[in-house]
Amino acid sequence: MLNNIRIVLVCTTHPGNIGAAARAMKTMGLTRLTLVAPEKYPSVEATARASGADDVLAQARIVGSLDEALAGCHLVFGASARQRTIAWPQVDARACAALAVSASATEEVAIVFGREQSGLTNDELERCHYLVHIPANPDFSSLNIAAAVQVITYEVRMANLQAQPAMDGGDEEPVPLATADEMEQFYEHLWQTVIDIGFVDPAKPRLLARRLRRLFNRSRLDKNEFNMLRGILAAAQSQVK
Ligand code: SAH
Protein backbone atom coordinates (compact mmCIF):
# COMPACT_ATOMS: atom_id res chain seq x y z
CA MET A 1 0.00 0.00 0.00
CA LEU A 2 2.79 2.40 0.91
CA ASN A 3 4.09 1.90 -2.64
CA ASN A 4 1.26 4.09 -3.82
CA ILE A 5 2.46 7.03 -1.75
CA ARG A 6 5.12 9.28 -3.29
CA ILE A 7 7.06 12.04 -1.59
CA VAL A 8 7.70 15.08 -3.78
CA LEU A 9 10.37 17.67 -2.95
CA VAL A 10 10.02 20.92 -4.87
CA CYS A 11 13.16 22.84 -5.90
CA THR A 12 15.25 21.71 -2.96
CA THR A 13 18.31 23.92 -2.52
CA HIS A 14 20.57 21.79 -0.32
CA PRO A 15 21.42 18.31 -1.63
CA GLY A 16 22.08 17.19 1.95
CA ASN A 17 18.39 17.68 2.66
CA ILE A 18 17.48 15.40 -0.24
CA GLY A 19 19.66 12.65 1.22
CA ALA A 20 18.25 13.17 4.71
CA ALA A 21 14.70 13.05 3.33
CA ALA A 22 15.48 9.77 1.53
CA ARG A 23 16.78 8.33 4.80
CA ALA A 24 13.71 9.54 6.68
CA MET A 25 11.47 7.89 4.08
CA LYS A 26 13.30 4.57 4.10
CA THR A 27 13.18 4.29 7.89
CA MET A 28 9.39 4.54 7.62
CA GLY A 29 9.06 2.08 4.73
CA LEU A 30 8.47 4.58 1.91
CA THR A 31 10.58 4.42 -1.21
CA ARG A 32 9.07 6.60 -3.93
CA LEU A 33 10.83 9.94 -4.09
CA THR A 34 10.25 12.56 -6.79
CA LEU A 35 12.50 15.60 -7.09
CA VAL A 36 11.17 18.66 -8.91
CA ALA A 37 14.06 20.69 -10.36
CA PRO A 38 16.52 20.17 -7.50
CA GLU A 39 19.17 22.89 -7.46
CA LYS A 40 22.19 20.59 -7.06
CA TYR A 41 21.66 16.93 -7.80
CA PRO A 42 23.08 14.30 -7.92
CA SER A 43 25.56 15.17 -5.26
CA VAL A 44 27.94 13.40 -2.92
CA GLU A 45 26.38 15.31 -0.05
CA ALA A 46 22.98 13.82 -0.80
CA THR A 47 24.46 10.32 -0.88
CA ALA A 48 26.37 10.90 2.35
CA ARG A 49 23.28 12.16 4.18
CA ALA A 50 21.15 9.31 2.81
CA SER A 51 23.45 7.09 4.85
CA GLY A 52 22.32 3.74 3.47
CA ALA A 53 19.15 4.91 1.78
CA ASP A 54 21.04 5.32 -1.51
CA ASP A 55 18.59 2.91 -3.13
CA VAL A 56 15.80 5.44 -2.55
CA LEU A 57 17.99 8.13 -4.12
CA ALA A 58 18.96 5.88 -7.03
CA GLN A 59 15.28 5.23 -7.83
CA ALA A 60 14.25 8.87 -7.39
CA ARG A 61 12.44 10.43 -10.33
CA ILE A 62 13.78 13.81 -11.37
CA VAL A 63 11.28 16.00 -13.18
CA GLY A 64 11.10 19.60 -14.35
CA SER A 65 7.73 20.65 -12.96
CA LEU A 66 5.23 19.90 -10.21
CA ASP A 67 2.72 18.91 -12.92
CA GLU A 68 5.02 16.14 -14.07
CA ALA A 69 5.59 15.04 -10.47
CA LEU A 70 1.85 14.76 -9.87
CA ALA A 71 0.99 12.92 -13.08
CA GLY A 72 -1.31 9.98 -12.29
CA CYS A 73 -2.01 11.13 -8.71
CA HIS A 74 -5.53 11.03 -7.29
CA LEU A 75 -4.90 12.67 -3.94
CA VAL A 76 -2.32 15.39 -3.24
CA PHE A 77 -1.22 16.95 0.06
CA GLY A 78 0.97 20.05 0.25
CA ALA A 79 3.06 20.39 3.42
CA SER A 80 3.15 23.92 4.72
CA ALA A 81 5.07 25.35 7.65
CA ARG A 82 2.77 28.37 7.99
CA GLN A 83 -0.89 29.16 8.03
CA ARG A 84 -1.61 30.46 4.54
CA THR A 85 -3.62 33.38 3.34
CA ILE A 86 -5.45 31.13 0.89
CA ALA A 87 -8.35 29.40 2.60
CA TRP A 88 -7.79 25.75 1.78
CA PRO A 89 -8.81 22.48 3.41
CA GLN A 90 -6.20 21.82 6.05
CA VAL A 91 -5.29 18.71 8.03
CA ASP A 92 -2.63 17.91 10.58
CA ALA A 93 0.02 15.25 9.95
CA ARG A 94 -2.02 12.50 11.62
CA ALA A 95 -5.19 13.19 9.69
CA CYS A 96 -3.16 13.46 6.48
CA ALA A 97 -1.66 10.02 7.15
CA ALA A 98 -5.06 8.44 7.79
CA LEU A 99 -6.45 9.87 4.54
CA ALA A 100 -3.31 8.97 2.60
CA VAL A 101 -3.18 5.37 3.84
CA SER A 102 -6.84 4.68 3.21
CA ALA A 103 -6.69 6.22 -0.28
CA SER A 104 -3.49 4.36 -1.11
CA ALA A 105 -5.35 1.04 -1.15
CA THR A 106 -6.70 1.98 -4.57
CA GLU A 107 -5.28 5.37 -5.48
CA GLU A 108 -1.99 7.17 -6.08
CA VAL A 109 -1.13 9.68 -3.37
CA ALA A 110 1.49 12.44 -3.28
CA ILE A 111 2.76 14.46 -0.33
CA VAL A 112 4.58 17.58 -1.55
CA PHE A 113 7.24 19.52 0.37
CA GLY A 114 8.42 23.06 -0.46
CA ARG A 115 11.65 25.00 -0.77
CA GLU A 116 13.84 25.49 2.28
CA GLN A 117 13.65 29.28 1.99
CA SER A 118 10.14 29.96 0.84
CA GLY A 119 8.06 26.78 1.01
CA LEU A 120 5.41 26.17 -1.66
CA THR A 121 3.87 28.98 -3.70
CA ASN A 122 0.12 29.58 -3.58
CA ASP A 123 -0.11 28.27 -7.13
CA GLU A 124 1.56 25.06 -6.04
CA LEU A 125 -0.68 24.74 -2.98
CA GLU A 126 -3.71 25.09 -5.24
CA ARG A 127 -2.60 21.90 -6.96
CA CYS A 128 -3.13 20.09 -3.66
CA HIS A 129 -6.39 18.74 -2.26
CA TYR A 130 -5.29 19.50 1.29
CA LEU A 131 -2.63 21.49 3.08
CA VAL A 132 -0.90 19.43 5.73
CA HIS A 133 0.55 21.26 8.70
CA ILE A 134 2.56 19.78 11.55
CA PRO A 135 1.14 21.67 14.53
CA ALA A 136 4.52 22.82 15.84
CA ASN A 137 5.30 25.73 18.19
CA PRO A 138 3.32 28.62 16.64
CA ASP A 139 6.24 30.97 17.35
CA PHE A 140 8.72 28.67 15.60
CA SER A 141 6.80 26.35 13.33
CA SER A 142 9.18 25.74 10.45
CA LEU A 143 10.93 22.37 10.61
CA ASN A 144 13.90 21.44 8.47
CA ILE A 145 12.43 19.83 5.35
CA ALA A 146 13.86 16.36 6.10
CA ALA A 147 12.52 16.60 9.67
CA ALA A 148 9.09 17.46 8.25
CA VAL A 149 9.35 14.43 5.93
CA GLN A 150 10.25 12.32 8.97
CA VAL A 151 7.27 13.42 11.04
CA ILE A 152 4.76 12.95 8.24
CA THR A 153 6.15 9.61 7.07
CA TYR A 154 6.15 8.39 10.70
CA GLU A 155 2.44 9.19 10.88
CA VAL A 156 1.93 7.38 7.57
CA ARG A 157 3.69 4.34 8.99
CA MET A 158 1.59 4.40 12.17
CA ALA A 159 -1.63 4.75 10.19
CA ASN A 160 -0.56 1.86 7.99
CA LEU A 161 0.31 -0.36 10.97
CA GLN A 162 -3.07 0.38 12.51
CA ALA A 163 -4.80 -0.52 9.28
CA GLN A 164 -3.25 -3.99 9.50
CA PRO A 165 -3.97 -6.76 12.01
CA ALA A 166 -1.99 -6.39 15.24
CA MET A 167 1.54 -7.72 14.87
CA ASP A 168 1.73 -9.88 17.97
CA GLY A 169 -1.01 -12.34 18.54
CA GLY A 170 -2.39 -11.28 15.20
CA ASP A 171 -2.76 -14.91 14.12
CA GLU A 172 -4.69 -15.94 17.20
CA GLU A 173 -8.44 -16.23 16.95
CA PRO A 174 -9.97 -13.31 18.85
CA VAL A 175 -11.74 -14.48 22.03
CA PRO A 176 -15.45 -13.58 21.92
CA LEU A 177 -16.64 -11.01 24.42
CA ALA A 178 -18.75 -11.97 27.41
CA THR A 179 -22.44 -11.48 26.62
CA ALA A 180 -24.77 -9.11 28.47
CA ASP A 181 -26.37 -12.00 30.38
CA GLU A 182 -22.97 -13.37 31.38
CA MET A 183 -22.03 -9.89 32.58
CA GLU A 184 -25.21 -9.86 34.70
CA GLN A 185 -24.15 -13.15 36.30
CA PHE A 186 -20.72 -11.65 36.86
CA TYR A 187 -22.13 -8.49 38.53
CA GLU A 188 -24.34 -10.59 40.79
CA HIS A 189 -21.40 -12.76 41.73
CA LEU A 190 -19.17 -9.71 42.26
CA TRP A 191 -21.78 -8.07 44.45
CA GLN A 192 -22.28 -11.19 46.54
CA THR A 193 -18.51 -11.44 46.95
CA VAL A 194 -17.98 -7.85 48.11
CA ILE A 195 -20.69 -8.55 50.72
CA ASP A 196 -19.22 -11.91 51.73
CA ILE A 197 -15.73 -10.50 52.23
CA GLY A 198 -17.11 -7.59 54.24
CA PHE A 199 -16.13 -4.87 51.76
CA VAL A 200 -19.64 -3.43 51.62
CA ASP A 201 -22.66 -3.20 53.92
CA PRO A 202 -25.65 -4.41 51.84
CA ALA A 203 -27.92 -2.09 53.83
CA LYS A 204 -26.13 1.00 52.40
CA PRO A 205 -27.05 2.51 49.01
CA ARG A 206 -25.53 0.81 46.05
CA LEU A 207 -23.31 3.51 44.55
CA LEU A 208 -20.44 1.02 44.62
CA ALA A 209 -22.46 -1.36 42.45
CA ARG A 210 -22.81 1.29 39.76
CA ARG A 211 -19.13 2.17 39.92
CA LEU A 212 -18.14 -1.46 39.54
CA ARG A 213 -20.47 -1.81 36.56
CA ARG A 214 -18.92 1.27 34.95
CA LEU A 215 -15.43 -0.10 35.48
CA PHE A 216 -16.09 -3.52 33.96
CA ASN A 217 -18.30 -2.20 31.17
CA ARG A 218 -15.40 -0.01 30.13
CA SER A 219 -13.03 -2.93 29.91
CA ARG A 220 -15.31 -5.14 27.74
CA LEU A 221 -14.38 -8.53 29.23
CA ASP A 222 -13.82 -11.40 26.86
CA LYS A 223 -14.95 -14.90 27.84
CA ASN A 224 -11.53 -15.94 29.17
CA GLU A 225 -11.30 -12.85 31.35
CA PHE A 226 -14.87 -13.39 32.49
CA ASN A 227 -14.06 -16.98 33.55
CA MET A 228 -10.85 -15.86 35.24
CA LEU A 229 -12.63 -13.21 37.31
CA ARG A 230 -15.44 -15.61 38.23
CA GLY A 231 -12.73 -17.99 39.47
CA ILE A 232 -11.11 -15.26 41.55
CA LEU A 233 -14.48 -14.32 43.08
CA ALA A 234 -15.26 -17.95 43.93
CA ALA A 235 -11.82 -18.35 45.54
CA ALA A 236 -12.30 -15.15 47.56
CA GLN A 237 -15.72 -16.35 48.73
CA SER A 238 -14.33 -19.74 49.78
CA GLN A 239 -11.86 -17.98 52.09
CA VAL A 240 -14.61 -16.46 54.20
CA LYS A 241 -17.20 -19.23 54.18
N1 SAH B 1 10.45 29.25 5.29
C1 SAH B 1 9.55 28.32 4.70
C2 SAH B 1 9.64 27.01 5.40
C3 SAH B 1 10.22 26.02 4.57
S1 SAH B 1 10.58 24.57 5.40
C4 SAH B 1 8.13 28.79 4.80
O1 SAH B 1 7.88 29.70 5.57
O2 SAH B 1 7.26 28.26 4.14
C5 SAH B 1 10.60 23.50 4.02
C6 SAH B 1 9.39 22.64 3.86
O3 SAH B 1 9.26 21.76 4.96
C7 SAH B 1 8.07 23.40 3.82
O4 SAH B 1 7.79 23.91 2.54
C8 SAH B 1 7.10 22.29 4.18
O5 SAH B 1 6.83 21.49 3.06
C9 SAH B 1 7.91 21.49 5.21
N2 SAH B 1 7.59 21.92 6.59
C10 SAH B 1 8.38 22.57 7.47
N3 SAH B 1 7.73 22.79 8.63
C11 SAH B 1 6.50 22.26 8.49
C12 SAH B 1 5.34 22.17 9.34
N4 SAH B 1 5.31 22.67 10.57
N5 SAH B 1 4.25 21.54 8.84
C13 SAH B 1 4.24 21.01 7.59
N6 SAH B 1 5.28 21.09 6.75
C14 SAH B 1 6.40 21.69 7.19
Side-chain angles (χ1 to χ4, degrees):
M1 255 156 76
L2 295 185
N3 286 338
N4 287 342
I5 302 180
R6 68 184 84 168
I7 298 295
V8 179
L9 307 184
V10 177
C11 303
T12 313
T13 313
H14 299 292
N17 281 336
I18 297 175
R23 180 181 184 177
M25 288 170 60
K26 188 170 175 180
T27 58
M28 296 299 137
L30 289 158
T31 54
R32 288 180 60 202
L33 175 62
T34 303
L35 305 173
V36 180
E39 221 157 88
K40 243 177 87 190
Y41 192 82
S43 132
V44 284
E45 216 186 321
T47 312
R49 291 286 300 281
S51 155
D54 343 28
D55 50 339
V56 174
L57 284 185
Q59 295 164 33
R61 270 177 71 220
I62 301 165
V63 296
S65 69
L66 183 57
D67 280 342
E68 276 177 79
L70 298 182
C73 271
H74 303 93
L75 179 62
V76 182
F77 296 89
S80 175
R82 319 168 253 142
Q83 307 292 334
R84 297 301 183 124
T85 41
I86 59 166
W88 214 249
Q90 187 174 311
V91 287
D92 65 22
R94 194 156 293 172
C96 160
L99 289 166
V101 165
S102 87
S104 71
T106 53
E107 295 169 15
E108 284 281 326
V109 178
I111 309 176
V112 184
F113 294 81
R115 299 156 187 81
E116 289 95 326
Q117 287 305 313
S118 54
L120 294 167
T121 64
N122 282 349
D123 274 357
E124 287 163 345
L125 286 173
E126 283 175 12
R127 308 297 317 275
C128 304
H129 296 93
Y130 294 92
L131 303 192
V132 48
H133 178 68
I134 298 161
N137 175 0
D139 299 326
F140 194 71
S141 65
S142 175
L143 282 76
N144 164 271
I145 184 172
V149 170
Q150 186 76 76
V151 170
I152 291 179
T153 54
Y154 167 73
E155 290 292 348
V156 167
R157 183 169 187 78
M158 290 304 287
N160 189 48
L161 288 175
Q162 270 158 22
Q164 288 169 9
M167 298 251 262
D168 46 27
D171 293 340
E172 282 172 28
E173 282 290 305
V175 180
L177 295 179
T179 59
D181 43 307
E182 284 168 335
M183 285 311 287
E184 282 315 306
Q185 291 165 25
F186 169 71
Y187 289 128
E188 241 170 70
H189 193 174
L190 180 61
W191 191 246
Q192 195 51 54
T193 308
V194 290
I195 294 168
D196 292 351
I197 64 176
F199 184 72
V200 72
D201 174 359
K204 296 262 167 71
R206 291 190 162 199
L207 190 55
L208 176 70
R210 189 177 300 161
R211 291 214 167 112
L212 289 170
R213 273 180 183 271
R214 261 205 329 236
L215 166 63
F216 286 102
N217 280 349
R218 208 162 58 225
S219 46
R220 318 280 320 270
L221 301 185
D222 69 30
K223 286 198 196 291
N224 290 345
E225 293 161 340
F226 165 82
N227 287 328
M228 174 183 72
L229 287 171
R230 292 288 307 260
I232 291 172
L233 294 178
Q237 284 176 314
S238 74
Q239 294 300 305
V240 292
K241 276 189 178 151

